[in-house]
Amino acid sequence: MRTYSFLTVLLWSCMFHVIHMMPSQKRTNKHSRSERITGLSENGGKTLHRTKRGWMWNQFFLLEEYTGPDTQYVGKLHTDQDKGDGNLKYILTGDGAGSLFIIDENTGDIHAAKKLDREEKSLYVLRAKAIDRKTGRQVEPESEFIIKIHDINDNEPKFTKDLYTASIPEMSGVGTSVIQVTATDADDANYGNSAKVVYSILQGQPYFSVDPETGIIKTALPDMSRENREQYQVVIQAKDMGGQMGGLSGTTTVNITLTDVNDNPPRFPQSTYQFSSPESAPPGTPLGRIKANDPDVGENAETEYSISNGDGSDMFDIVTDKDTQEGIITVKKHLDFENKMLYTLRVEATNTHPDPRFLQLGPFKDTALVKISVEDIDEPPVFSRPWYLIEVDEGAKEGSIIGQVVAQDPDITKNAIKYSVDRHTDLDRIFNIYSGNGSLFIAKPLDREETPWHNITVIATEINNPRQSSQIPVFIRILDINDHAPEFAKYYETFVCENAKAGQLIQTVSAVDKDEPPQGHKFFFELVPEFAVHPNFSIVDNKDNTAGIMTRRNGYSRSKMSTYLLPIIIFDNDYPIQSSTGTLTIRVCACDSWGNMQSCNAAALLLPAGLSTGALVAILLCIIILLLVVLFTALKRQRKKEPLIISKDDVRDNIVTYNDEGGGEEDTQAFDIGTLRNPEAREESKMRRDVIPETIFQIRRTAPLWENIDVQDFIHRRLKENDLDPAAPPYDSLATYAYEGNDSIANSLSSLESFTTEGNQDYDYLSDWGPRFKKLADMYGGEDSDRD
């Protein structure tokens, strides 16, 4: 059995320790514990002891940014198994192996192939192993080691911002913090002073300073005023290596603005101001502007203006323009040049937001004197009142003076004034005025019931300057006098039942009066003296402006008296007392047992008094018999006549077939002949009976002309209406005019009233009736007519 030549495996670990400010190299050997291995050997089974030896190298750090001509040597890998005969091969893996770091596989020497930057990568982790070239087996287990890049000062400090902006109130004390700036260095802060930054101020002295370690900028001068200088530019430098010579540096700019505080009071640029105003300026008219200057800005410059004292503090006012911080002087009351020509005001300007820190500097306000002169103008006349109210009785006589208006010229000249009435307000010219003294008088009678109020306008004009005028309203109230008598409130339809009892109320009447007495209306009712004791009715005054009509006997008869006229006197209690007589018409009606009216038929009143029931029955029978006779006669005469033209083929000169010539008086279907005899009959528009029209036309009613006594004019107008009627059918048709007048010179054409027969009737007179009857005359008047 073969004896193992290697029983103990040695493990070497490479570890790098970074010591601040000590860039020296180290060599570290790390041995694993010894292992005792017992086994048989050629020497009689003796126990062998072998110690595992570790890796060896002599370089731990690598400088960044190396610029030498040769590659930078990093270190050497070596194992005790290497006999120097070239049987071992060294292999390197890990960060940058083969590209950044190259190893000599025979000797184990490691070199950096490129320039390295610590700020990009500060350390690299690598793994190394040794392999037997013949067997390909590892003679040592793989070990890990670290290469750390040693820093050099190759980065300057950089500020977080290229430009800073800051602000600080003006008048701040020394040492007041403004802003802090910060710079960073990419170099290793744990090795040397490459990343140690110190701040200094290059520009901005002596106003500001900077703390070298923290970078806080502070004020360096007291009481810096914004009004003197508002903007400052400060340049700050940051230098590494603790600020020592040879260190790298960077700069930044800080723009610092002083903000405003209310440290200045307002000041008027002048002590006295002059303004003028016409005396006619209405209240609220601006006269001028004044301004107190304040070097502060914003709300610190806001100023409030007021009038502190002066003889015109009640005549003028001052308001603040918030946009321009100016004081606007305005008119508060109407000015009068004749009363006062010059006013003096003292105006005060005060800051609205004072700062308590600066009150010791003095009061934050200022005053100025304002003088205002009043200019005289020619003013129109002024009435003694804003309006006038005049009361006059409606019974006042024409020419009576009812009142007076007074106006005067307010100017010193005191020009004369004339008065007039604006006729646009008095179109009926009821009132007039004396132009010299303004006295109003009546020109026409007054009627309160027609117009209780009159609103007129009176004009006052300067005689020397007619353009100067003013007007005033005058309200004229017409006072009532008792000039109208009371009358019934309405028309009463009064009836009394035939079976009425004595003392029964049949009507309650009331009265109205156009007058309006101050104490209200009070009416009294009584019968006229001639009917003071009426046998049928009596009147009872209810004392509430109404009266009741009472019956005085039992039972009333329509046959004896169908209507009673009851005159009633109505009078009021005003002065002078007015009264009128109203007649109440009382009809006698048939009523049921409860007093409800059933019939007040006036036909019965036309019958002769004392006519018996038998006589009434006989009269009715006679009327019925007469109607039967008339009906029988009409039916007998209704026969079909021979047509004028037997055949349509029988065409003769001047003969036209209209297909509708009516049936004469015997044709009761064509029209009602009774309407021709009744002047009061109203014709209803009817559709044609003989032809059915294709379109149903709207029936148009014509205006009644029954009261027209000119029959010819009536017929012409009806003909014109039918000719121009757009709804009339476009064919000949019978038009019934319903009225042919009275006492016609042609007499009646009806055969019912004719005493002659058709055989001996002479129709020659038809030719004298005009062209409208020409065809009728040709048919009946000629010897060769169709009758033959």
Side-chain angles (χ1 to χ4, degrees):
M1 186 175 181
R2 184 177 178 179
T3 305
Y4 291 93
S5 60
F6 298 99
L7 300 175
T8 306
V9 178
L10 302 177
L11 177 62
W12 293 85
S13 299
C14 300
M15 301 189 59
F16 297 86
H17 302 279
V18 179
I19 304 174
H20 183 60
M21 300 299 290
M22 295 179 65
S24 60
Q25 297 178 351
K26 286 188 177 181
R27 176 173 176 168
T28 303
N29 295 324
K30 193 170 184 180
H31 305 277
S32 61
R33 64 181 178 87
S34 299
E35 296 181 359
R36 178 172 294 179
I37 303 175
T38 304
L40 300 176
S41 67
E42 296 178 353
N43 297 325
K46 294 181 180 180
T47 302
L48 299 179
H49 295 276
R50 187 183 180 113
T51 301
K52 183 178 181 181
R53 305 180 67 185
W55 295 92
M56 298 178 62
W57 59 89
N58 54 12
Q59 184 75 30
F60 300 102
F61 294 97
L62 183 64
L63 290 176
E64 67 170 335
E65 305 292 345
Y66 175 75
T67 59
D70 300 325
T71 57
Q72 190 176 2
Y73 182 73
V74 177
K76 183 181 180 64
L77 294 180
H78 182 72
T79 178
D80 292 343
Q81 299 296 323
D82 189 357
K83 303 300 183 179
D85 54 4
N87 291 328
L88 294 181
K89 179 181 179 181
Y90 294 95
I91 298 175
L92 184 66
T93 59
D95 295 340
S99 59
L100 295 180
F101 303 102
I102 301 174
I103 188 171
D104 189 335
E105 61 180 15
N106 295 320
T107 62
D109 291 327
I110 302 174
H111 291 81
K114 297 180 180 179
K115 182 175 62 175
L116 302 177
D117 188 357
R118 188 202 67 85
E119 285 71 37
E120 292 183 3
K121 191 174 181 64
S122 61
L123 58 88
Y124 297 85
V125 179
L126 299 170
R127 291 177 297 277
K129 56 184 177 181
I131 301 175
D132 190 331
R133 291 180 184 271
K134 295 180 179 180
T135 63
R137 297 178 56 187
Q138 293 186 13
V139 299
E140 297 286 353
E142 186 179 63
S143 299
E144 182 180 271
F145 62 97
I146 297 174
I147 299 176
K148 186 170 184 180
I149 308 303
H150 183 70
D151 183 48
I152 64 172
N153 189 20
D154 59 343
N155 290 280
E156 73 277 2
K158 293 185 178 180
F159 285 93
T160 57
K161 295 181 180 180
D162 294 333
L163 179 64
Y164 291 83
T165 58
S167 62
I168 185 174
E170 63 174 333
M171 308 301 290
S172 297
V174 177
T176 303
S177 297
V178 180
I179 192 175
Q180 183 179 17
V181 295
T182 303
T184 59
D185 196 321
D187 294 325
D188 190 357
N190 297 321
Y191 181 77
N193 294 327
S194 299
K196 186 177 182 180
V197 178
V198 175
Y199 300 94
S200 61
I201 184 168
L202 300 182
Q203 178 183 323
Q205 295 174 332
Y207 307 103
F208 300 94
S209 63
V210 63
D211 189 298
E213 294 183 0
T214 62
I216 297 176
I217 301 175
K218 302 179 181 179
T219 57
L221 287 181
D223 302 331
M224 287 191 294
S225 176
R226 185 200 63 83
E227 290 73 31
N228 295 332
R229 183 177 177 182
E230 185 176 4
Q231 299 287 340
Y232 294 87
Q233 190 175 74
V234 179
V235 178
I236 303 297
Q237 175 185 264
K239 190 175 184 181
D240 59 10
M241 297 298 292
Q244 297 177 7
M245 185 177 297
L248 302 178
S249 64
T251 60
T252 188
T253 302
V254 183
N255 290 331
I256 301 176
T257 303
L258 295 183
T259 58
D260 185 60
V261 297
N262 193 6
D263 58 339
N264 295 281
R267 290 287 182 265
F268 284 106
Q270 60 191 70
S271 60
T272 304
Y273 295 86
Q274 295 276 353
F275 297 102
S276 62
S277 172
E279 62 176 336
S280 61
T285 302
L287 302 181
R289 292 171 174 253
I290 61 175
K291 184 177 182 180
N293 297 324
D294 192 334
D296 296 324
V297 294
E299 69 175 13
N300 296 323
E302 291 182 2
T303 305
E304 189 72 27
Y305 297 89
S306 61
I307 299 177
S308 58
N309 53 40
D311 56 0
S313 58
D314 59 338
M315 301 298 295
F316 301 93
D317 197 4
I318 186 170
V319 294
T320 304
D321 189 334
K322 298 298 183 182
D323 296 331
T324 62
Q325 298 301 314
E326 294 178 316
I328 305 174
I329 300 176
T330 59
V331 178
K332 188 176 181 179
K333 295 182 180 180
H334 286 287
L335 303 176
D336 188 1
F337 173 82
E338 290 73 24
N339 185 27
K340 190 174 180 63
M341 295 179 290
L342 181 65
Y343 294 90
T344 301
L345 308 174
R346 185 167 293 278
V347 178
E348 184 178 86
T350 308
N351 274 150
T352 56
H353 302 284
D355 194 330
R357 296 177 299 172
F358 306 103
L359 293 179
Q360 71 276 3
L361 300 179
F364 279 72
K365 61 182 179 180
D366 195 15
T367 59
L369 201 64
V370 179
K371 294 183 178 180
I372 302 174
S373 59
V374 181
E375 299 175 353
D376 185 27
I377 63 171
D378 189 6
E379 298 177 88
V382 178
F383 285 92
S384 60
R385 300 179 187 176
W387 49 272
Y388 289 87
L389 174 63
I390 298 176
E391 295 182 345
V392 57
D393 291 336
E394 64 175 325
K397 297 181 179 180
E398 299 179 20
S400 301
I401 295 176
I402 61 175
Q404 184 181 19
V405 297
V406 178
Q408 62 179 0
D409 184 9
D411 299 321
I412 298 177
T413 56
K414 301 296 180 184
N415 293 325
I417 295 174
K418 64 177 181 179
Y419 301 90
S420 61
V421 176
D422 184 358
R423 291 305 173 187
H424 292 91
T425 61
D426 185 25
L427 298 176
D428 296 332
R429 295 181 176 271
I430 299 176
F431 303 96
N432 211 335
I433 192 170
Y434 291 107
S435 61
N437 58 9
S439 297
L440 285 165
F441 61 91
I442 302 173
K444 293 183 178 180
L446 304 176
D447 187 358
R448 187 203 67 85
E449 286 71 32
E450 181 179 352
T451 307
W453 283 90
H454 294 272
N455 301 328
I456 66 174
T457 300
V458 175
I459 303 173
T461 307
E462 291 185 10
I463 296 178
N464 296 334
N465 187 7
R467 292 179 300 176
Q468 295 295 335
S469 63
S470 58
Q471 56 187 18
I472 198 74
V474 179
F475 307 105
I476 302 174
R477 180 183 180 184
I478 310 301
L479 301 178
D480 184 40
I481 63 173
N482 194 25
D483 57 345
H484 289 84
E487 56 188 14
F488 281 131
K490 63 178 183 178
Y491 173 76
Y492 294 99
E493 294 183 357
T494 307
F495 71 93
V496 61
C497 295
E498 288 184 311
N499 56 356
K501 305 296 182 180
Q504 183 177 342
L505 176 65
I506 62 173
Q507 184 68 60
T508 299
V509 296
S510 60
V512 293
D513 194 338
K514 296 181 179 180
D515 297 321
E516 292 183 1
Q519 305 300 327
H521 291 290
K522 182 64 178 177
F523 302 122
F524 301 93
F525 303 85
E526 63 181 27
L527 297 176
V528 297
E530 293 79 2
F531 296 89
V533 182
H534 198 282
N536 298 308
F537 304 98
S538 63
I539 186 168
V540 176
D541 195 333
N542 297 328
K543 307 300 182 183
D544 59 354
N545 295 337
T546 64
I549 308 301
M550 313 292 292
T551 58
R552 294 195 63 185
R553 62 185 180 87
N554 296 328
Y556 295 85
S557 175
R558 284 186 295 168
S559 60
K560 295 181 178 179
M561 180 67 69
S562 62
T563 303
Y564 293 91
L565 300 178
L566 186 65
I568 300 174
I569 299 177
I570 311 171
F571 54 91
D572 54 26
N573 66 335
D574 204 358
Y575 181 81
I577 295 177
Q578 299 287 343
S579 64
S580 66
T581 301
T583 300
L584 191 66
T585 301
I586 304 174
R587 293 187 302 161
V588 180
C589 300
C591 302
D592 56 16
S593 58
W594 292 279
N596 298 321
M597 181 181 64
Q598 292 181 331
S599 174
C600 294
N601 190 7
L605 302 178
L606 299 177
L607 297 176
L611 199 62
S612 64
T613 304
L616 293 175
V617 173
I619 292 174
L620 291 176
L621 291 175
C622 291
I623 293 174
I624 293 172
I625 294 172
L626 180 62
L627 291 175
L628 293 175
V629 172
V630 172
L631 179 60
F632 176 77
T633 305
L635 292 175
K636 183 177 180 182
R637 289 183 175 273
Q638 187 178 5
R639 68 182 183 273
K640 185 175 182 180
K641 295 183 178 182
E642 181 182 359
L644 297 178
I645 299 178
I646 299 175
S647 174
K648 293 183 180 180
D649 297 332
D650 187 8
V651 180
R652 305 179 185 181
D653 292 340
N654 298 328
I655 300 299
V656 179
T657 301
Y658 291 100
N659 289 333
D660 181 14
E661 295 189 7
E665 291 86 355
E666 295 179 355
D667 186 1
T668 58
Q669 299 298 324
F671 61 90
D672 185 6
I673 195 172
T675 58
L676 296 177
R677 304 187 181 279
N678 185 6
E680 302 299 328
R682 303 294 178 96
E683 179 188 13
E684 296 292 338
S685 298
K686 299 179 180 180
M687 300 300 296
R688 179 169 171 171
R689 297 175 181 269
D690 58 330
V691 178
I692 300 177
E694 295 181 356
T695 305
I696 303 300
F697 295 93
Q698 182 68 30
I699 299 176
R700 184 179 64 86
R701 298 183 181 274
T702 58
L705 301 174
W706 319 114
E707 55 274 9
N708 191 343
I709 61 174
D710 189 348
V711 178
Q712 183 178 1
D713 179 63
F714 167 76
I715 293 176
H716 283 302
R717 291 179 64 180
R718 292 303 302 271
L719 285 172
K720 184 178 181 180
E721 287 179 4
N722 283 272
D723 291 339
L724 299 180
D725 188 358
Y731 43 77
D732 292 338
S733 179
L734 179 64
T736 302
Y737 297 128
Y739 177 55
E740 297 186 0
N742 298 323
D743 300 328
S744 173
I745 60 175
N747 295 322
S748 175
L749 299 179
S750 174
S751 60
L752 295 178
E753 299 180 2
S754 176
F755 295 100
T756 61
T757 63
E758 293 181 357
N760 56 6
Q761 178 65 38
D762 184 8
Y763 297 101
D764 293 338
Y765 60 85
L766 294 177
S767 58
D768 298 332
W769 284 13
R772 294 183 181 274
F773 297 90
K774 182 177 183 306
K775 185 171 293 294
L776 193 63
D778 292 341
M779 290 191 306
Y780 287 88
E783 295 179 356
D784 298 331
S785 66
D786 291 338
R787 291 177 174 273
D788 301 332

